[in-house]
Amino acid sequence: MGSLLCNFLVDWGVSIKESIGETGVIICLVVFAALAFLIFSNMCIDAVRKVNRDRKFKMYWFRLVFLIIVILFAVWFATML
């Protein structure tokens, strides 16, 4: 027996897939994957610039949390297919 949250997410995923269709789900998946790639590349570029300039590594934790959230959305849309 699944949890209430899992059942809610499955029902919500089915309603999203029925409303925007399979093509819409694929478009959302591509958008979230591209956004995750852009966030990750921006984090890497900023880290390299910061290390080269100040010789210290500073992590932007909000970007990392946002990246994880975007990746989870991309995985969720991938499981809807």
Side-chain angles (χ1 to χ4, degrees), residues 11-67:
D11 292 341
W12 199 28
V14 169
S15 68
I16 288 173
K17 187 175 179 181
E18 288 176 356
S19 64
I20 63 175
E22 190 169 333
T23 305
V25 171
I26 292 172
I27 290 171
C28 289
L29 175 63
V30 169
V31 167
F32 279 118
L35 183 62
F37 176 73
L38 289 174
I39 292 169
F40 180 71
S41 65
N42 193 13
M43 286 172 55
C44 292
I45 290 169
D46 285 347
V48 168
R49 285 183 184 163
K50 183 74 173 166
V51 168
N52 285 339
R53 185 177 48 219
D54 297 338
R55 302 283 184 222
K56 293 181 192 173
F57 179 71
K58 183 176 180 181
M59 184 66 169
Y60 296 103
W61 294 104
F62 178 74
R63 285 187 189 172
L64 183 65
V65 170
F66 189 62
L67 177 65

